[in-house]
Amino acid sequence: MTKINQVIVDREVPCTLRDGVTLYANIYRPQARGSYPVLLTRLPYNKNLPNYSHRWIDPIRTVMQGYIVIIQDVRGRYASEGEFEPFVQEAKDGYDTVEWTASLPYSSGKVGMFGLSYYAFTQLYALVEQPPSLKAIFPAMTGNIFKEPFGGDGVLALASSETWMLDSVAPDYLKRKLSPEEYTKAIKELTKDLDKIEEWHKYTPVKDLPPVMKHPVLHDIYRNYMEQEYNQKALAHTDGKNYADYMNIPAYHLAGWYDNFLSQTVMNYEQMSADNPNQQLIVGPWGHGMVGSELGERSFGVNSSAHSIDGEEDLTSLHIKWFNRWLKEDHDTRKADEDPVKIFVMGINEWRTEKEWPLQRTIYTNYYFHSDGQANSQTGTLNTIVPANEPNDHYIHDPVNPVPTHGGGTLFYNGRNAGPRDQRVIEQREDVLVYTSHPLEESIEVTGSAKVVLWASTDAVDTDFTAKLVDVFPDRTAYNLADGVVRAKYHNGKSKADEVDCYEIELSPTSNVFLPGHSIRIDIASSDFPRYDVNPGTGETTLDTVDMVKAKQKVFHQAAYPSHVVLPIIPD
């Protein structure tokens, strides 16, 4: 390979799409003559900001390894022309851009795509149009194009949605729609509102959020986004299909145990690997775009960081190694017997490889919830004994005073409130039920997706139930590992006030060893706010209503109603 010492940067290079709209990109390429494979990323966050253009991989270092790196503003964002409709436009625009990059005079004609979050969505949507020059992708911390990214089963990821709209979308959108004088005034207002975004999360009805309503040009994009109009239009392209119906190409999926898109990223791997063995998955103890060794209130060791993965490689080298294989046919970059899955096991804080996900050797084990029999007690026990006939536990869910979000796979403003955090302050509330095992005598590894099977009733027209898996340390600190939520009227197509019903709450994947002296804990509540929109109990949602009613919740522990968690336990 020709040694590359000099890099040329071409700024604001136009790409004209099939409908005449022009998108603009920055191109990093070798000065040395020749043809090179292209690594493309397409983003709505400004290709000229280093935090977005240089943070995920180092384009200079990548070019020096024999690649062209192209970073493009998507339609309707920053330098690019057109109207921005989140997700809707990315399939056709992705095809046109991939084929344009393949036609450049210094391109080898082989294209790979990379990036996280929205610019991983642009990779997945490009598959829908099947551009022939696209040979491999590296989607990181992203959603599944057959799901709603910020909502599902009637539950809205409230803080993520409002934050993304106000912080990520609104500034450039306002600049494009307003005169310079109007924009100066509007951006000052928006900045003030972002400074108090936690308070705005409490505002109802959500559709009339004041930081949006004061800017008429934002009304349509906000309404369409919050009411899932854009998602539905994008989903229409994929109706009734799956990844196998589109382009069957290699993909390296990157996820974090505390990323808001964790479940969907893992779902991408599972669905793609069912039809294409050329898939890899890596999951670290990371949050959304936060891939260091510390997150929340915990440190996982220097080599947990994506900048020093197991002390051997970083994000850029991981990408180069992957694309060398598929764009340069460098088959030596992966041994024939190399395991496709690499996970970080918390608790013991070690990396490990696996041959599949979920792990075939998993022993799914029921741990049952038990009442302690004390009136008004919110604590109980957790063990493998099926309950006989114990008193139910109960609490009042007050949507005016919801259980606050405390850590987890959040996507809040500036990364706030993410990751593992001590749950004791939450567990002291009267609207949280806490079930804890006795301290363990031997280690237990939980790797995979746990599921809570909750036998419960409510006197409300509609309600939510949330569940959280927690690792309780010998000093009683209690760190969250995984969580989930279910909305009553969507779990089985109807709500049944005051009737005992079975609610299945799928928890996000995790990997953790509960060490000797630690305890396994499950927390049950009816809100996790503002991570999710609070259920007002009326059958409506806070998107449209300000009316709220309290709900009396009961959780049952009987032979006929054995509430429990199904833990994916990995044998020694």
Side-chain angles (χ1 to χ4, degrees), residues 78 89 101 124 135 152 186 205 240 306 309 346 538:
Y78 294 93
Q89 59 211 10
T101 64
L124 300 176
K135 305 302 181 183
I309 301 171
M346 298 178 289
T538 62

Side-chain angles (χ1 to χ4, degrees), residues 316-379:
T316 297
S317 62
L318 204 66
H319 282 74
I320 291 171
K321 183 178 177 181
W322 175 251
F323 288 117
N324 279 352
R325 183 184 182 203
W326 301 109
L327 275 62
K328 294 185 176 182
E329 298 181 354
D330 185 359
H331 296 289
D332 292 337
T333 60
R334 179 181 174 188
K335 298 176 182 177
D337 60 350
E338 181 181 345
D339 291 336
V341 176
K342 189 180 184 79
I343 58 174
F344 187 87
V345 184
M346 298 178 289
I348 57 174
N349 290 351
E350 294 178 359
W351 287 99
R352 189 176 75 213
T353 63
E354 295 288 348
K355 297 187 182 302
E356 75 283 314
W357 184 276
L359 310 189
Q360 290 185 3
R361 65 185 185 279
T362 303
I363 300 175
Y364 292 97
T365 307
N366 293 352
Y367 274 69
Y368 295 92
F369 306 163
H370 297 272
S371 170
D372 68 0
Q374 301 297 313
N376 300 319
S377 174
Q378 303 306 111
T379 61

